[in-house]
Amino acid sequence: MPHEIRLAGPWEFSAGDGATWERCILPFDAASLAEMPGGTVVRVRRKFHRPSGLEPSSTVSIIVVADRDVPEIALNDCRISVSTVEGDGGDGQQSSSVASHFRVGDLLTDFNILQLPLAIDMQNTASRIDSTRLGIVDV
């Protein structure tokens, strides 16, 4: 039976080189960082424990809901490309939010660090993360 675990918080963000991290909450919009020049990459991250009760046959995905599709995330410093993307229908031309799915089951450890890249004022690049959750399907 499929179920989901919200990754509500605490979240942190870092702009530029990632030397300093500050607390933030979702939804988080990188464009709200007015002091940052356009094209700056901002990362948001959250640390979390491996869900209990996972079976060897469990499929685990990270689902990121954002203003655009998120092509890549990092889990425990390993880059993962998107596996599927779903839009919510939006205004008929462009979805107001997009859910990007990343299969991560084999990469989960007892303690995990998830990082999501955002860009400020760049076409076709997500700048707002609305929510993030773990999707678990036991087969």
Side-chain angles (χ1 to χ4, degrees), residues 91-127:
D91 61 10
Q93 293 193 354
Q94 182 177 349
S95 297
S96 59
S97 65
V98 177
S100 301
H101 298 246
F102 302 86
R103 295 214 172 155
V104 297
D106 295 339
L107 299 173
L108 288 175
T109 62
D110 289 339
F111 187 73
N112 301 279
I113 300 174
L114 169 63
Q115 289 192 37
L116 311 171
L118 300 172
I120 298 174
D121 297 333
M122 289 178 65
Q123 285 274 336
N124 300 320
T125 304
S127 70

PDB file of all heavy atoms in Angstrom, residues 91-127:
ATOM      1  N   ASP A  91      -3.034  26.814 -15.764  1.00  0.00           N
ATOM      2  CA  ASP A  91      -3.915  27.654 -16.567  1.00  0.00           C
ATOM      3  C   ASP A  91      -4.087  27.145 -17.989  1.00  0.00           C
ATOM      4  O   ASP A  91      -4.550  27.863 -18.855  1.00  0.00           O
ATOM      5  CB  ASP A  91      -3.389  29.095 -16.574  1.00  0.00           C
ATOM      6  CG  ASP A  91      -1.998  29.204 -17.187  1.00  0.00           C
ATOM      7  OD1 ASP A  91      -1.514  28.203 -17.769  1.00  0.00           O
ATOM      8  OD2 ASP A  91      -1.409  30.285 -17.103  1.00  0.00           O
ATOM      9  N   GLY A  92      -3.691  25.918 -18.257  1.00  0.00           N
ATOM     10  CA  GLY A  92      -3.828  25.378 -19.603  1.00  0.00           C
ATOM     11  C   GLY A  92      -2.572  25.512 -20.426  1.00  0.00           C
ATOM     12  O   GLY A  92      -2.353  24.757 -21.352  1.00  0.00           O
ATOM     13  N   GLN A  93      -1.742  26.490 -20.120  1.00  0.00           N
ATOM     14  CA  GLN A  93      -0.494  26.642 -20.868  1.00  0.00           C
ATOM     15  C   GLN A  93       0.708  26.190 -20.047  1.00  0.00           C
ATOM     16  O   GLN A  93       1.617  25.589 -20.556  1.00  0.00           O
ATOM     17  CB  GLN A  93      -0.308  28.093 -21.278  1.00  0.00           C
ATOM     18  CG  GLN A  93      -1.334  28.523 -22.289  1.00  0.00           C
ATOM     19  CD  GLN A  93      -0.952  29.836 -22.929  1.00  0.00           C
ATOM     20  OE1 GLN A  93       0.014  30.472 -22.554  1.00  0.00           O
ATOM     21  NE2 GLN A  93      -1.726  30.254 -23.903  1.00  0.00           N
ATOM     22  N   GLN A  94       0.685  26.515 -18.774  1.00  0.00           N
ATOM     23  CA  GLN A  94       1.793  26.136 -17.911  1.00  0.00           C
ATOM     24  C   GLN A  94       1.232  25.817 -16.539  1.00  0.00           C
ATOM     25  O   GLN A  94       0.395  26.540 -16.027  1.00  0.00           O
ATOM     26  CB  GLN A  94       2.800  27.274 -17.817  1.00  0.00           C
ATOM     27  CG  GLN A  94       3.999  26.943 -16.971  1.00  0.00           C
ATOM     28  CD  GLN A  94       5.001  28.082 -16.984  1.00  0.00           C
ATOM     29  OE1 GLN A  94       4.909  29.012 -17.762  1.00  0.00           O
ATOM     30  NE2 GLN A  94       5.951  28.010 -16.102  1.00  0.00           N
ATOM     31  N   SER A  95       1.680  24.746 -15.932  1.00  0.00           N
ATOM     32  CA  SER A  95       1.207  24.366 -14.612  1.00  0.00           C
ATOM     33  C   SER A  95       1.664  25.382 -13.580  1.00  0.00           C
ATOM     34  O   SER A  95       2.741  25.948 -13.691  1.00  0.00           O
ATOM     35  CB  SER A  95       1.743  22.993 -14.227  1.00  0.00           C
ATOM     36  OG  SER A  95       1.262  22.023 -15.106  1.00  0.00           O
ATOM     37  N   SER A  96       0.829  25.597 -12.558  1.00  0.00           N
ATOM     38  CA  SER A  96       1.244  26.479 -11.479  1.00  0.00           C
ATOM     39  C   SER A  96       2.178  25.752 -10.522  1.00  0.00           C
ATOM     40  O   SER A  96       2.896  26.378  -9.771  1.00  0.00           O
ATOM     41  CB  SER A  96       0.021  27.032 -10.748  1.00  0.00           C
ATOM     42  OG  SER A  96      -0.750  25.969 -10.224  1.00  0.00           O
ATOM     43  N   SER A  97       2.159  24.427 -10.535  1.00  0.00           N
ATOM     44  CA  SER A  97       3.139  23.657  -9.781  1.00  0.00           C
ATOM     45  C   SER A  97       3.388  22.331 -10.481  1.00  0.00           C
ATOM     46  O   SER A  97       2.537  21.826 -11.200  1.00  0.00           O
ATOM     47  CB  SER A  97       2.690  23.441  -8.335  1.00  0.00           C
ATOM     48  OG  SER A  97       1.531  22.658  -8.287  1.00  0.00           O
ATOM     49  N   VAL A  98       4.577  21.814 -10.270  1.00  0.00           N
ATOM     50  CA  VAL A  98       5.013  20.597 -10.934  1.00  0.00           C
ATOM     51  C   VAL A  98       5.599  19.669  -9.871  1.00  0.00           C
ATOM     52  O   VAL A  98       6.356  20.117  -9.008  1.00  0.00           O
ATOM     53  CB  VAL A  98       6.092  20.924 -12.003  1.00  0.00           C
ATOM     54  CG1 VAL A  98       6.620  19.662 -12.647  1.00  0.00           C
ATOM     55  CG2 VAL A  98       5.535  21.869 -13.053  1.00  0.00           C
ATOM     56  N   ALA A  99       5.244  18.392  -9.937  1.00  0.00           N
ATOM     57  CA  ALA A  99       5.803  17.399  -9.020  1.00  0.00           C
ATOM     58  C   ALA A  99       6.860  16.592  -9.759  1.00  0.00           C
ATOM     59  O   ALA A  99       6.551  15.901 -10.731  1.00  0.00           O
ATOM     60  CB  ALA A  99       4.708  16.488  -8.479  1.00  0.00           C
ATOM     61  N   SER A 100       8.099  16.697  -9.301  1.00  0.00           N
ATOM     62  CA  SER A 100       9.214  15.938  -9.868  1.00  0.00           C
ATOM     63  C   SER A 100       9.518  14.775  -8.938  1.00  0.00           C
ATOM     64  O   SER A 100       9.652  14.957  -7.728  1.00  0.00           O
ATOM     65  CB  SER A 100      10.449  16.832 -10.011  1.00  0.00           C
ATOM     66  OG  SER A 100      10.167  17.940 -10.843  1.00  0.00           O
ATOM     67  N   HIS A 101       9.619  13.576  -9.488  1.00  0.00           N
ATOM     68  CA  HIS A 101       9.837  12.357  -8.708  1.00  0.00           C
ATOM     69  C   HIS A 101      11.260  11.838  -8.932  1.00  0.00           C
ATOM     70  O   HIS A 101      11.718  11.760 -10.068  1.00  0.00           O
ATOM     71  CB  HIS A 101       8.848  11.268  -9.125  1.00  0.00           C
ATOM     72  CG  HIS A 101       7.421  11.630  -8.898  1.00  0.00           C
ATOM     73  ND1 HIS A 101       6.635  10.973  -7.991  1.00  0.00           N
ATOM     74  CD2 HIS A 101       6.633  12.596  -9.445  1.00  0.00           C
ATOM     75  CE1 HIS A 101       5.414  11.511  -7.996  1.00  0.00           C
ATOM     76  NE2 HIS A 101       5.402  12.496  -8.875  1.00  0.00           N
ATOM     77  N   PHE A 102      11.913  11.440  -7.837  1.00  0.00           N
ATOM     78  CA  PHE A 102      13.283  10.935  -7.877  1.00  0.00           C
ATOM     79  C   PHE A 102      13.331   9.618  -7.111  1.00  0.00           C
ATOM     80  O   PHE A 102      13.015   9.589  -5.922  1.00  0.00           O
ATOM     81  CB  PHE A 102      14.248  11.930  -7.223  1.00  0.00           C
ATOM     82  CG  PHE A 102      14.230  13.288  -7.864  1.00  0.00           C
ATOM     83  CD1 PHE A 102      13.304  14.246  -7.475  1.00  0.00           C
ATOM     84  CD2 PHE A 102      15.134  13.606  -8.859  1.00  0.00           C
ATOM     85  CE1 PHE A 102      13.280  15.503  -8.061  1.00  0.00           C
ATOM     86  CE2 PHE A 102      15.122  14.860  -9.454  1.00  0.00           C
ATOM     87  CZ  PHE A 102      14.188  15.801  -9.059  1.00  0.00           C
ATOM     88  N   ARG A 103      13.730   8.544  -7.769  1.00  0.00           N
ATOM     89  CA  ARG A 103      13.857   7.247  -7.085  1.00  0.00           C
ATOM     90  C   ARG A 103      15.155   7.233  -6.293  1.00  0.00           C
ATOM     91  O   ARG A 103      16.224   7.468  -6.851  1.00  0.00           O
ATOM     92  CB  ARG A 103      13.843   6.122  -8.093  1.00  0.00           C
ATOM     93  CG  ARG A 103      12.507   6.055  -8.775  1.00  0.00           C
ATOM     94  CD  ARG A 103      12.135   4.664  -9.091  1.00  0.00           C
ATOM     95  NE  ARG A 103      10.755   4.683  -9.557  1.00  0.00           N
ATOM     96  CZ  ARG A 103      10.251   3.789 -10.328  1.00  0.00           C
ATOM     97  NH1 ARG A 103      10.987   2.772 -10.711  1.00  0.00           N
ATOM     98  NH2 ARG A 103       8.997   3.869 -10.702  1.00  0.00           N
ATOM     99  N   VAL A 104      15.036   6.940  -4.985  1.00  0.00           N
ATOM    100  CA  VAL A 104      16.204   7.055  -4.117  1.00  0.00           C
ATOM    101  C   VAL A 104      16.419   5.857  -3.200  1.00  0.00           C
ATOM    102  O   VAL A 104      17.351   5.856  -2.389  1.00  0.00           O
ATOM    103  CB  VAL A 104      16.113   8.324  -3.234  1.00  0.00           C
ATOM    104  CG1 VAL A 104      16.107   9.569  -4.086  1.00  0.00           C
ATOM    105  CG2 VAL A 104      14.900   8.279  -2.314  1.00  0.00           C
ATOM    106  N   GLY A 105      15.600   4.834  -3.291  1.00  0.00           N
ATOM    107  CA  GLY A 105      15.630   3.723  -2.342  1.00  0.00           C
ATOM    108  C   GLY A 105      17.006   3.196  -2.009  1.00  0.00           C
ATOM    109  O   GLY A 105      17.355   3.027  -0.846  1.00  0.00           O
ATOM    110  N   ASP A 106      17.838   2.926  -3.009  1.00  0.00           N
ATOM    111  CA  ASP A 106      19.153   2.338  -2.774  1.00  0.00           C
ATOM    112  C   ASP A 106      20.146   3.318  -2.152  1.00  0.00           C
ATOM    113  O   ASP A 106      21.182   2.912  -1.636  1.00  0.00           O
ATOM    114  CB  ASP A 106      19.746   1.801  -4.076  1.00  0.00           C
ATOM    115  CG  ASP A 106      18.938   0.649  -4.644  1.00  0.00           C
ATOM    116  OD1 ASP A 106      18.187   0.015  -3.881  1.00  0.00           O
ATOM    117  OD2 ASP A 106      19.043   0.393  -5.854  1.00  0.00           O
ATOM    118  N   LEU A 107      19.843   4.607  -2.215  1.00  0.00           N
ATOM    119  CA  LEU A 107      20.774   5.618  -1.709  1.00  0.00           C
ATOM    120  C   LEU A 107      20.492   6.039  -0.272  1.00  0.00           C
ATOM    121  O   LEU A 107      21.275   6.782   0.314  1.00  0.00           O
ATOM    122  CB  LEU A 107      20.737   6.850  -2.618  1.00  0.00           C
ATOM    123  CG  LEU A 107      21.156   6.601  -4.060  1.00  0.00           C
ATOM    124  CD1 LEU A 107      20.912   7.831  -4.914  1.00  0.00           C
ATOM    125  CD2 LEU A 107      22.618   6.188  -4.121  1.00  0.00           C
ATOM    126  N   LEU A 108      19.370   5.586   0.284  1.00  0.00           N
ATOM    127  CA  LEU A 108      19.029   5.980   1.649  1.00  0.00           C
ATOM    128  C   LEU A 108      19.981   5.335   2.652  1.00  0.00           C
ATOM    129  O   LEU A 108      20.314   4.154   2.542  1.00  0.00           O
ATOM    130  CB  LEU A 108      17.596   5.574   1.996  1.00  0.00           C
ATOM    131  CG  LEU A 108      16.490   6.372   1.334  1.00  0.00           C
ATOM    132  CD1 LEU A 108      15.135   5.763   1.679  1.00  0.00           C
ATOM    133  CD2 LEU A 108      16.522   7.835   1.747  1.00  0.00           C
ATOM    134  N   THR A 109      20.418   6.127   3.616  1.00  0.00           N
ATOM    135  CA  THR A 109      21.230   5.633   4.722  1.00  0.00           C
ATOM    136  C   THR A 109      20.446   5.905   6.010  1.00  0.00           C
ATOM    137  O   THR A 109      19.328   6.425   5.965  1.00  0.00           O
ATOM    138  CB  THR A 109      22.596   6.346   4.765  1.00  0.00           C
ATOM    139  OG1 THR A 109      22.388   7.744   4.971  1.00  0.00           O
ATOM    140  CG2 THR A 109      23.372   6.124   3.471  1.00  0.00           C
ATOM    141  N   ASP A 110      21.024   5.568   7.151  1.00  0.00           N
ATOM    142  CA  ASP A 110      20.324   5.825   8.407  1.00  0.00           C
ATOM    143  C   ASP A 110      20.049   7.316   8.602  1.00  0.00           C
ATOM    144  O   ASP A 110      19.020   7.703   9.150  1.00  0.00           O
ATOM    145  CB  ASP A 110      21.123   5.288   9.595  1.00  0.00           C
ATOM    146  CG  ASP A 110      21.112   3.769   9.639  1.00  0.00           C
ATOM    147  OD1 ASP A 110      20.213   3.148   9.030  1.00  0.00           O
ATOM    148  OD2 ASP A 110      22.014   3.192  10.278  1.00  0.00           O
ATOM    149  N   PHE A 111      20.976   8.173   8.157  1.00  0.00           N
ATOM    150  CA  PHE A 111      20.805   9.620   8.240  1.00  0.00           C
ATOM    151  C   PHE A 111      21.122  10.202   6.872  1.00  0.00           C
ATOM    152  O   PHE A 111      22.164   9.896   6.292  1.00  0.00           O
ATOM    153  CB  PHE A 111      21.729  10.213   9.299  1.00  0.00           C
ATOM    154  CG  PHE A 111      21.488  11.666   9.549  1.00  0.00           C
ATOM    155  CD1 PHE A 111      20.364  12.089  10.242  1.00  0.00           C
ATOM    156  CD2 PHE A 111      22.367  12.616   9.063  1.00  0.00           C
ATOM    157  CE1 PHE A 111      20.129  13.432  10.460  1.00  0.00           C
ATOM    158  CE2 PHE A 111      22.139  13.962   9.277  1.00  0.00           C
ATOM    159  CZ  PHE A 111      21.022  14.373   9.989  1.00  0.00           C
ATOM    160  N   ASN A 112      20.233  11.043   6.333  1.00  0.00           N
ATOM    161  CA  ASN A 112      20.326  11.519   4.949  1.00  0.00           C
ATOM    162  C   ASN A 112      20.321  13.037   4.882  1.00  0.00           C
ATOM    163  O   ASN A 112      19.698  13.702   5.720  1.00  0.00           O
ATOM    164  CB  ASN A 112      19.138  10.984   4.149  1.00  0.00           C
ATOM    165  CG  ASN A 112      19.104   9.479   4.167  1.00  0.00           C
ATOM    166  OD1 ASN A 112      19.804   8.835   3.418  1.00  0.00           O
ATOM    167  ND2 ASN A 112      18.303   8.907   5.066  1.00  0.00           N
ATOM    168  N   ILE A 113      20.969  13.567   3.846  1.00  0.00           N
ATOM    169  CA  ILE A 113      20.943  15.006   3.574  1.00  0.00           C
ATOM    170  C   ILE A 113      20.465  15.194   2.147  1.00  0.00           C
ATOM    171  O   ILE A 113      21.100  14.751   1.191  1.00  0.00           O
ATOM    172  CB  ILE A 113      22.330  15.648   3.753  1.00  0.00           C
ATOM    173  CG1 ILE A 113      22.830  15.448   5.187  1.00  0.00           C
ATOM    174  CG2 ILE A 113      22.263  17.140   3.408  1.00  0.00           C
ATOM    175  CD1 ILE A 113      24.246  15.921   5.421  1.00  0.00           C
ATOM    176  N   LEU A 114      19.317  15.853   2.017  1.00  0.00           N
ATOM    177  CA  LEU A 114      18.707  16.147   0.725  1.00  0.00           C
ATOM    178  C   LEU A 114      18.999  17.600   0.369  1.00  0.00           C
ATOM    179  O   LEU A 114      18.788  18.488   1.192  1.00  0.00           O
ATOM    180  CB  LEU A 114      17.193  15.933   0.814  1.00  0.00           C
ATOM    181  CG  LEU A 114      16.344  16.423  -0.355  1.00  0.00           C
ATOM    182  CD1 LEU A 114      16.697  15.672  -1.630  1.00  0.00           C
ATOM    183  CD2 LEU A 114      14.873  16.289  -0.022  1.00  0.00           C
ATOM    184  N   GLN A 115      19.497  17.847  -0.854  1.00  0.00           N
ATOM    185  CA  GLN A 115      19.728  19.211  -1.330  1.00  0.00           C
ATOM    186  C   GLN A 115      19.002  19.413  -2.652  1.00  0.00           C
ATOM    187  O   GLN A 115      19.057  18.552  -3.538  1.00  0.00           O
ATOM    188  CB  GLN A 115      21.217  19.491  -1.524  1.00  0.00           C
ATOM    189  CG  GLN A 115      21.968  19.607  -0.221  1.00  0.00           C
ATOM    190  CD  GLN A 115      23.357  20.169  -0.427  1.00  0.00           C
ATOM    191  OE1 GLN A 115      23.563  21.047  -1.268  1.00  0.00           O
ATOM    192  NE2 GLN A 115      24.315  19.683   0.334  1.00  0.00           N
ATOM    193  N   LEU A 116      18.331  20.566  -2.758  1.00  0.00           N
ATOM    194  CA  LEU A 116      17.586  20.921  -3.958  1.00  0.00           C
ATOM    195  C   LEU A 116      18.133  22.229  -4.508  1.00  0.00           C
ATOM    196  O   LEU A 116      18.197  23.222  -3.783  1.00  0.00           O
ATOM    197  CB  LEU A 116      16.100  21.112  -3.627  1.00  0.00           C
ATOM    198  CG  LEU A 116      15.434  20.006  -2.821  1.00  0.00           C
ATOM    199  CD1 LEU A 116      14.053  20.435  -2.379  1.00  0.00           C
ATOM    200  CD2 LEU A 116      15.366  18.742  -3.640  1.00  0.00           C
ATOM    201  N   PRO A 117      18.529  22.269  -5.782  1.00  0.00           N
ATOM    202  CA  PRO A 117      19.027  23.518  -6.369  1.00  0.00           C
ATOM    203  C   PRO A 117      17.869  24.376  -6.882  1.00  0.00           C
ATOM    204  O   PRO A 117      16.904  23.870  -7.448  1.00  0.00           O
ATOM    205  CB  PRO A 117      19.894  23.027  -7.519  1.00  0.00           C
ATOM    206  CG  PRO A 117      19.232  21.747  -7.950  1.00  0.00           C
ATOM    207  CD  PRO A 117      18.658  21.137  -6.696  1.00  0.00           C
ATOM    208  N   LEU A 118      17.980  25.677  -6.672  1.00  0.00           N
ATOM    209  CA  LEU A 118      17.032  26.654  -7.206  1.00  0.00           C
ATOM    210  C   LEU A 118      17.836  27.748  -7.894  1.00  0.00           C
ATOM    211  O   LEU A 118      18.990  27.971  -7.554  1.00  0.00           O
ATOM    212  CB  LEU A 118      16.196  27.289  -6.086  1.00  0.00           C
ATOM    213  CG  LEU A 118      15.345  26.352  -5.255  1.00  0.00           C
ATOM    214  CD1 LEU A 118      14.745  27.108  -4.085  1.00  0.00           C
ATOM    215  CD2 LEU A 118      14.260  25.742  -6.106  1.00  0.00           C
ATOM    216  N   ALA A 119      17.223  28.435  -8.843  1.00  0.00           N
ATOM    217  CA  ALA A 119      17.914  29.528  -9.523  1.00  0.00           C
ATOM    218  C   ALA A 119      17.068  30.785  -9.452  1.00  0.00           C
ATOM    219  O   ALA A 119      15.841  30.720  -9.450  1.00  0.00           O
ATOM    220  CB  ALA A 119      18.210  29.160 -10.966  1.00  0.00           C
ATOM    221  N   ILE A 120      17.733  31.919  -9.378  1.00  0.00           N
ATOM    222  CA  ILE A 120      17.056  33.208  -9.342  1.00  0.00           C
ATOM    223  C   ILE A 120      17.014  33.786 -10.752  1.00  0.00           C
ATOM    224  O   ILE A 120      18.055  33.918 -11.398  1.00  0.00           O
ATOM    225  CB  ILE A 120      17.769  34.174  -8.381  1.00  0.00           C
ATOM    226  CG1 ILE A 120      17.736  33.600  -6.971  1.00  0.00           C
ATOM    227  CG2 ILE A 120      17.138  35.560  -8.424  1.00  0.00           C
ATOM    228  CD1 ILE A 120      18.518  34.386  -5.957  1.00  0.00           C
ATOM    229  N   ASP A 121      15.816  34.104 -11.228  1.00  0.00           N
ATOM    230  CA  ASP A 121      15.616  34.776 -12.518  1.00  0.00           C
ATOM    231  C   ASP A 121      16.239  34.062 -13.707  1.00  0.00           C
ATOM    232  O   ASP A 121      16.824  34.680 -14.580  1.00  0.00           O
ATOM    233  CB  ASP A 121      16.155  36.207 -12.483  1.00  0.00           C
ATOM    234  CG  ASP A 121      15.421  37.072 -11.490  1.00  0.00           C
ATOM    235  OD1 ASP A 121      14.243  36.783 -11.218  1.00  0.00           O
ATOM    236  OD2 ASP A 121      16.021  38.033 -10.981  1.00  0.00           O
ATOM    237  N   MET A 122      16.132  32.744 -13.751  1.00  0.00           N
ATOM    238  CA  MET A 122      16.609  32.006 -14.918  1.00  0.00           C
ATOM    239  C   MET A 122      15.425  31.308 -15.564  1.00  0.00           C
ATOM    240  O   MET A 122      14.641  30.657 -14.881  1.00  0.00           O
ATOM    241  CB  MET A 122      17.679  30.985 -14.529  1.00  0.00           C
ATOM    242  CG  MET A 122      18.996  31.634 -14.138  1.00  0.00           C
ATOM    243  SD  MET A 122      20.241  30.437 -13.631  1.00  0.00           S
ATOM    244  CE  MET A 122      20.521  29.528 -15.123  1.00  0.00           C
ATOM    245  N   GLN A 123      15.278  31.448 -16.864  1.00  0.00           N
ATOM    246  CA  GLN A 123      14.195  30.816 -17.602  1.00  0.00           C
ATOM    247  C   GLN A 123      14.237  29.300 -17.442  1.00  0.00           C
ATOM    248  O   GLN A 123      15.302  28.706 -17.430  1.00  0.00           O
ATOM    249  CB  GLN A 123      14.329  31.150 -19.095  1.00  0.00           C
ATOM    250  CG  GLN A 123      13.922  32.556 -19.434  1.00  0.00           C
ATOM    251  CD  GLN A 123      12.426  32.636 -19.669  1.00  0.00           C
ATOM    252  OE1 GLN A 123      11.793  31.662 -20.008  1.00  0.00           O
ATOM    253  NE2 GLN A 123      11.860  33.810 -19.479  1.00  0.00           N
ATOM    254  N   ASN A 124      13.069  28.700 -17.328  1.00  0.00           N
ATOM    255  CA  ASN A 124      12.906  27.244 -17.284  1.00  0.00           C
ATOM    256  C   ASN A 124      13.654  26.568 -16.132  1.00  0.00           C
ATOM    257  O   ASN A 124      14.023  25.406 -16.240  1.00  0.00           O
ATOM    258  CB  ASN A 124      13.329  26.616 -18.618  1.00  0.00           C
ATOM    259  CG  ASN A 124      12.495  27.138 -19.760  1.00  0.00           C
ATOM    260  OD1 ASN A 124      11.291  27.312 -19.626  1.00  0.00           O
ATOM    261  ND2 ASN A 124      13.142  27.413 -20.876  1.00  0.00           N
ATOM    262  N   THR A 125      13.912  27.288 -15.066  1.00  0.00           N
ATOM    263  CA  THR A 125      14.565  26.718 -13.896  1.00  0.00           C
ATOM    264  C   THR A 125      13.727  27.034 -12.666  1.00  0.00           C
ATOM    265  O   THR A 125      13.298  28.178 -12.492  1.00  0.00           O
ATOM    266  CB  THR A 125      15.985  27.296 -13.719  1.00  0.00           C
ATOM    267  OG1 THR A 125      16.712  27.066 -14.924  1.00  0.00           O
ATOM    268  CG2 THR A 125      16.703  26.647 -12.569  1.00  0.00           C
ATOM    269  N   ALA A 126      13.494  26.042 -11.826  1.00  0.00           N
ATOM    270  CA  ALA A 126      12.682  26.243 -10.628  1.00  0.00           C
ATOM    271  C   ALA A 126      13.312  27.289  -9.720  1.00  0.00           C
ATOM    272  O   ALA A 126      14.525  27.316  -9.529  1.00  0.00           O
ATOM    273  CB  ALA A 126      12.515  24.927  -9.874  1.00  0.00           C
ATOM    274  N   SER A 127      12.472  28.170  -9.174  1.00  0.00           N
ATOM    275  CA  SER A 127      12.952  29.124  -8.176  1.00  0.00           C
ATOM    276  C   SER A 127      12.168  28.987  -6.873  1.00  0.00           C
ATOM    277  O   SER A 127      12.562  29.543  -5.868  1.00  0.00           O
ATOM    278  CB  SER A 127      12.853  30.563  -8.688  1.00  0.00           C
ATOM    279  OG  SER A 127      11.502  30.964  -8.769  1.00  0.00           O
TER     280      SER A 127
END
